[in-house]
Amino acid sequence: MRTTPRAARAYILCVALCATVCALPAPTPGAATPWGTLALLAALYLACELPGRCSFFARSVPVGAGSFFPLLLAAAFLLPPAAAVLVSVPGSLAGRVEQQPVAARRVWRTAQLALTVGAASWTYAFLGGPATLGGAGGGAVPDLPYALLPAGATALVFSLVLAVLDGGILATAERVAVRHAWRGLLARSVGPHLVHALAGLMMAILWRSSYGPVSALVVVLPMYISCWVFAQYHRQHAAHRATIRALVQAVDIKDGYTRGHSERVGRASELIARELGMEEERMEALRFAGILHDVGKLGVPTRILRKDGPLTPEERRVIELHPEYGHEIVRGIGFLDEARAAILHHHERLDGSGYPYGLAGDAIPEFARVVAVADAFDAMTSTRSYRRGRPVPAAVAELERCAGSQFDPQMVRALARALDRHGWSAAANTVTSEEQPPGLPRPRPGKRPSTAAGTTHRPGRRRR
């Protein structure tokens, strides 16, 4: 706890005290706390959290906030508020914590979940939710569909309290600006928590039915499996991003003059894709293509990439092999899919004078035509060590002038519309590799290329 900022420690203490106060009525004689139900729910939640502590299961179980919220919402539906506060405590204290400081994070998670579940249970009781469940506590059968109304309101309160508490810890512990700490937290959580509430309601109805608590496992087990599948998807997605990041960092280390260029080309490619109305999966693949379009430079000798003098014809041919090198580097990365074609063909020109294969027109893959425009746009708008970047309108005008010969007019128009709609951050205009502006003739053998769009060649001499 000593490494936790003082404001965060005070905040965690206040939340823990509030949770404690909410739980105080539970052991009093007049509370009529259903200890059997409380113990079973707490044991179930603990059982869901414990596999994360085992090294054998740690990589295959859904660890993290939200994995078992259906069970906590079921507790809010089945128990009085003071008792519901206690359900998450054993599991939260025993659950796995991956980041330091472990003690502070564990205390915080315990207090946060306890207070959130208590608030949700109070809301459900206030709206008369327990009477709609049927069974021992109400009528003979659940009062559907009316039972959905208090359950939905409870899920909204659950989301709201959780978002408020999360924003507070971000502001105090992570020192996120107050105006940003709560941004998007509620919007991202409401949908999933409504789904969790439906599962929790089903569990509560079964629990109160003649089949008893054992029948509730019919809901818990499928929900746990679905959470496991979801966790695996997110781990795989994180691994994909880590792969992309490692490749881009390798290129930046080898040729530091291009640092930032790849990310900006990925961003511009995504703007074009969004304007074209591409599906989300293809849009992500296209962003990966933009980020990795120059990964083939890893196969180009460093002495050529960093050479200050004119390139020889042989050296130029070696550099023009980088699309093929890049394609070979990413060939075995299955999730890149269409991105591989863009990496291979992003230096092709619509008139057939590009490389490596001289493809023309629609024979050039769509992704490659998008990345070519994004690559040239960033080349013109980025500031070099020897010249300032062009203004965005001038760069767009140059792309439009070369549309039909060098670039696909549809992609150029899409970029222009996207820039009108979203703009282009001035922060993106950092020093990067220099590329040949569109419309200039291709270099004659024996001369260093001037600055051709879509190449990674440098001028014969850099200004210092």
Side-chain angles (χ1 to χ4, degrees), residues 2 78 88 104 118 128 138 202 216 280 307 319 398-399 429 444 459:
R2 292 179 181 177
L78 288 166
S88 65
M202 188 184 304
E280 205 64 40
K307 185 176 180 181
I319 280 193
E398 186 67 10
L399 289 171
N429 300 334
R444 297 190 301 274

Side-chain angles (χ1 to χ4, degrees), residues 408-454:
D408 186 330
Q410 182 186 12
M411 309 309 173
V412 173
R413 288 194 296 269
L415 178 62
R417 290 196 303 270
L419 293 173
D420 286 341
R421 191 189 312 271
H422 304 289
W424 185 251
S425 172
N429 300 334
T430 55
V431 175
T432 182
S433 69
E434 61 57 350
E435 324 250 337
Q436 182 179 347
L440 293 183
R442 297 182 58 77
R444 297 190 301 274
K447 288 191 176 182
R448 182 77 172 186
S450 298
T451 43

Side-chain angles (χ1 to χ4, degrees), residues 71-231:
L71 205 152
L72 295 181
L73 282 161
F77 299 149
L78 288 166
L79 296 171
V85 169
L86 300 172
V87 170
S88 65
V89 173
S92 299
L93 289 174
R96 184 168 129 202
V97 177
E98 296 180 316
Q99 297 179 342
Q100 297 290 339
V102 173
R105 289 179 182 275
R106 187 164 281 139
V107 171
W108 161 248
R109 193 66 192 144
T110 302
Q112 181 193 33
L113 284 181
L115 190 58
T116 301
V117 176
S121 181
W122 183 88
T123 302
Y124 193 67
F126 178 78
L127 296 175
T132 67
L133 294 179
V141 293
D143 187 7
L144 294 173
Y146 176 74
L148 297 175
L149 296 178
T154 301
L156 291 176
V157 171
F158 189 94
S159 295
L160 179 61
V161 175
L162 204 61
V164 169
L165 295 177
D166 275 337
I169 202 66
L170 286 175
T172 56
E174 306 294 337
R175 294 188 171 90
V176 176
V178 172
R179 65 180 180 277
H180 299 308
W182 287 272
R183 182 177 297 174
L185 290 178
L186 183 61
R188 288 195 299 268
S189 63
V190 167
H193 291 162
L194 287 172
V195 176
H196 294 160
L198 290 175
L201 180 63
M202 188 184 304
M203 183 178 175
I205 290 173
L206 288 172
W207 192 291
R208 295 277 293 271
S209 72
S210 58
Y211 299 103
V214 176
S215 63
L217 294 176
V218 175
V219 178
V220 173
L221 189 58
M223 204 63 197
Y224 189 87
I225 293 173
S226 67
C227 288
W228 177 83
V229 172
F230 194 63

